[in-house]
Amino acid sequence: MTQRFFVLKNCSMLYRQAQIYYSQRFEPMGLGSGQHYFLGEIGRRPGVTMAELAVLGCYDSGTVTRAVSKMCQNGFVEARPDASDKRIKRL
């Protein structure tokens, strides 16, 4: 085994442990571990669109839509129509 393999394996283990940690911390609030990224980006960029979130995080639009919809339903995020284009929702 090469040194590179061990580095990649350790990165994978660290990522998984972080996901477990976030899941445990966010569960009492009704949030999943995958939603913390979106919540953080919306907090840093008020008025961001779902399309912009998808590009920023390299997510597909369906993933963003599901995560944001759940956060809207639970009252963590509010979606408002864009002033110039009513099809666009600002978060």
Side-chain angles (χ1 to χ4, degrees):
M1 295 284 161
T2 65
Q3 183 70 20
R4 182 178 177 178
F5 171 79
F6 289 113
V7 169
L8 294 175
K9 183 178 177 183
N10 287 336
C11 287
S12 175
M13 290 171 41
L14 180 61
Y15 172 79
R16 181 67 188 128
Q17 290 301 312
Q19 291 299 103
I20 291 169
Y21 173 81
Y22 288 128
S23 290
Q24 291 172 347
R25 295 292 182 208
F26 290 134
E27 185 179 23
M29 295 178 268
L31 289 169
S33 63
Q35 294 170 318
H36 78 276
Y37 168 79
F38 300 110
L39 196 57
E41 287 301 320
I42 293 166
R44 281 187 284 280
R45 295 176 170 85
V48 70
T49 66
M50 286 193 253
E52 292 168 341
L53 282 177
V55 170
L56 286 168
C58 298
Y59 290 99
D60 63 86
S61 60
T63 300
V64 176
T65 300
R66 279 189 300 278
V68 171
S69 294
K70 186 173 180 182
M71 289 188 293
C72 285
Q73 288 173 356
N74 292 335
F76 291 104
V77 175
E78 185 176 298
R80 295 182 180 174
D82 184 71
S84 62
D85 187 345
K86 301 297 182 195
R87 297 171 297 172
I88 297 173
K89 303 289 186 213
R90 297 272 171 198
L91 308 171

